[in-house]
Amino acid sequence: MDLKDIKAIIDLMRKNSVSEFELEKQDFKIRLKRGPNGGAGTGDDVPAVVYAAPATVLPQVVAASGLVAGAAPPAAAAPSNELDIKSPMIGTFYRAPSPESANYIEIGSEVNPDTVVCIIEAMKVMNEIKAEAKGIISQVMVENAKPVEFGQPLFKLRPG
């Protein structure tokens, strides 16, 4: 990941009123956090970036500029027998590969760990999101073409 990608993430954070962003892949981890109440605006629009191995404890990285919108209300606790399929990134959620195509899955669809359940567009790249568990989809929690945040539940899955 280079500085251009990080700046694009920061722009997405501003546009979607996201206050925190975290990405972890193999030996790379980045965490960005916007200042409380938008901060005082120091003119420094790019926060520091932390690179480290996954096992390393990382300090929070804070950008002093931008507005922080109210956080989304916490989702209701799922019944103990259901799992959440969560968004691994911020971006725009799509249920189908194109507007003319059928949705990847519907409520009641059986999925396995390799089943693609949706795509998330981030930085003009379409990322296929897999179920990562076996079961039956019991609920779709996000509307098509809506922005999603890192860790936001997308689907409910009844293991099976």
Side-chain angles (χ1 to χ4, degrees), residues 24-47:
E24 191 171 341
K25 284 187 175 181
Q26 296 168 351
D27 63 343
F28 172 83
K29 182 174 182 177
I30 181 173
R31 181 173 183 181
L32 303 173
K33 182 175 180 181
R34 298 173 71 185
N37 298 324
T42 63
D44 183 1
D45 289 339
V46 181

Side-chain angles (χ1 to χ4, degrees), residues 94-98 101-106 117 144:
Y94 294 104
R95 293 191 62 195
S98 70
S101 301
N103 292 338
Y104 284 107
I105 57 161
E106 298 292 343
V117 294
N144 192 48

Side-chain angles (χ1 to χ4, degrees), residues 46-67:
V46 181
V49 178
V50 178
Y51 296 90
T56 305
V57 176
L58 300 175
Q60 289 188 351
V61 179
V62 178
S65 62
L67 299 174

